[in-house]
DNA sequence: CGTATCTGTAACAAGTACAGTTACTGCGTG
DNA sequence: CACGCAGTAACTGTACTTGTTACAGATACG
């Protein structure tokens, strides 16, 4: 199962909690506990979406380029995790009355289920996540 | 991506549209356009859930054992497709203020998103699917 | 009673997706 | 120019899913 959404939110939360600071992929990778290339791959997607700015070369790194309260988790999910959640079998028998229509019927079911999930993600912004992190941190002491 | 849910609904729709008839895995497989063993594997899960009855041996096969209007797509999904939709990276750095809390914060986000999806699937029953199939069939002529 | 037919299930192969890793190019600062 | 960083291609290992073969057990039928 893909962890891209999870890691992407982690990365964005890091960038949001260190605004206008350049973080290197190596530094981010040590927080996520993964390889720096994995981080750069994901940040490539976020950069193309316009949410992150990059500076190459010495003293380079990544920084957030949007207001965290204007970026929903739905957008993040859709940027890094493409396609459908629920697979539909491709080629049922068209000569069977069920087989010939099940694809279309399931398509609408799956679409509405996926939209419900995305709508729920759309209720939360990156700022909400950052805020929740600080609350949880305080609780720990 | 797993197509088990999709195929399971297809199979259940077949059984529901031929009530009190025994359908063989071979016959079902030809409608789904897959191998009979794949069908039997899925039907094993549905049998253990109590929704399908089996008769082995000659003249054997599968038949529905529940009222289609009492079986929601949510139940079917959960029977054949276990685990979470969205993965969470397992071991972020506990010494990082973000890394130490991101798992819990993401957990609640992912749980609510998944619940929203399941709730949407819970709005539809197998009977709804069968009804939609017959509507689509009529539209085709 | 034997045979044909069907389920149940194990075992294996093939395809696919993802994370991790190495290696390299190119950019930009000091 | 050298160092440190992003960007990206390529390869590996692992895990999951589907498809397939094989076979044991069950059951109706002649």
């Amino acid at each position: 199962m893909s962890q891209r959404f999870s890691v992407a939110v982690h990365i964005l939360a890091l960038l949001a909690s260190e605004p206008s600071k350049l973080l290197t992929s190596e530094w981010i990778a040590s927080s996520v506990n993964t390889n720096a290339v994995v981080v750069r791959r994901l940040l490539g997607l976020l950069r193309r979406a316009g949410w992150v700015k990059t500076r190459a070369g010495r003293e380079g790194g990544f920084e957030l380029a949007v207001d965290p309260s204007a970026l929903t988790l739905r957008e993040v999910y859709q940027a890094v995790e493409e396609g459908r959640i629920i697979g539909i079998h491709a080629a049922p028998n068209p000569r069977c009355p069920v087989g010939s229509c099940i694809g279309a019927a399931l398509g609408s079911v799956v679409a509405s289920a996926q939209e419900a999930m995305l709508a729920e993600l759309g209720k939360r912004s990156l700022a909400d996540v950052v805020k929740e992190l600080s609350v949880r941190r305080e609780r720990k002491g």
Side-chain angles (χ1 to χ4, degrees), chain A:
Chain A
M1 178 184 311
S2 169
Q3 301 169 354
R4 284 195 297 269
F5 171 70
S6 168
V7 173
V9 172
H10 185 151
I11 293 173
L12 288 167
L14 283 172
L15 296 177
S17 55
E18 302 281 1
S20 69
K21 231 187 189 181
L22 285 174
L23 305 184
T24 70
S25 61
E26 207 72 48
W27 192 91
I28 294 171
S30 79
S31 169
V32 177
N33 194 24
T34 183
N35 190 287
V37 174
V38 174
V39 171
R40 292 205 288 270
R41 274 203 286 244
L42 269 174
L43 275 162
L45 296 175
L46 304 179
R47 176 173 47 83
R48 275 163 226 149
W51 304 323
V52 158
K53 272 185 193 162
T54 272
R55 210 164 84 195
R58 193 166 178 167
E59 307 288 303
F62 301 88
E63 67 179 333
L64 206 59
V66 291
D67 177 0
S69 62
L71 181 57
T72 68
L73 299 190
R74 175 184 184 135
E75 293 173 285
V76 176
Y77 182 90
Q78 292 183 303
V80 300
E81 209 93 44
E82 91 271 2
R84 292 196 168 159
I85 303 172
I86 304 175
I88 296 183
H89 56 301
N93 189 340
R95 296 172 58 187
C96 165
V98 171
S100 66
C101 298
I102 192 76
L106 279 171
S108 77
V109 169
V110 166
S112 67
Q114 173 144 351
E115 177 53 34
M117 188 210 71
L118 290 174
E120 186 64 30
L121 288 181
K123 290 181 186 169
R124 308 217 203 181
S125 71
L126 177 57
D128 294 332
V129 173
V130 172
K131 193 176 175 185
E132 190 178 344
L133 285 177
S134 76
V135 170
R136 285 180 188 270
R137 215 177 312 147
E138 279 169 21
R139 252 184 243 157
K140 280 193 177 179

